Amino acid sequence: MKLSAPFYAVKVTGALFHTQGGLEVDEHARVLRADRSPFPNLYAGGGAARGISGPGADGYLAGNGLMTATTLGRLAGEHAAQVITQK
C-alpha cells in the first residue's frame, strides 16, 4: 500500500487526569462512611476509589486507576450479585 498526499498529523502528548485519594472502600468495594460502616448499595472503583497509592499524589503508582477499576469492579459486582440473590 502506497501513501499519497495530502497528509495530516495530530500532536499527541502524555497527561495524567484522575483523582488521587478518592472514596474509601471496604473489601467488597462498598463506600465507607466516616465511622467505617458501609453505605448500602453504594460501590466505588477506578479513579473514584482510594487505591493502594493512598490518600495523596505522593504515593502514585502507574496503572493504579486501571487496577482499581478492574479489581474493585469485579469485587463490587460479585458482592452486589450475592446481595441480590439473598433477597
Side-chain angles (χ1 to χ4, degrees):
M1 178 175 156
K2 184 177 178 183
L3 298 177
S4 59
F7 300 106
Y8 300 94
V10 63
K11 182 179 179 180
V12 178
T13 62
L16 176 63
F17 294 103
H18 66 88
T19 58
Q20 191 63 36
L23 301 168
E24 192 164 356
V25 296
D26 67 7
E27 70 276 9
H28 302 293
R30 296 179 298 182
V31 177
L32 299 177
R33 294 182 173 102
D35 68 1
R36 308 223 10 102
S37 65
F39 284 97
N41 303 317
L42 182 59
Y43 298 88
R50 180 178 294 177
I52 62 170
S53 51
D58 56 335
Y60 174 74
L61 296 171
N64 184 41
L66 183 57
M67 180 188 66
T68 56
T70 56
T71 305
L72 292 176
R74 179 178 177 151
L75 292 171
E78 289 174 346
H79 188 264
Q82 181 183 21
V83 169
I84 290 170
T85 58
Q86 290 177 353
K87 291 184 178 185

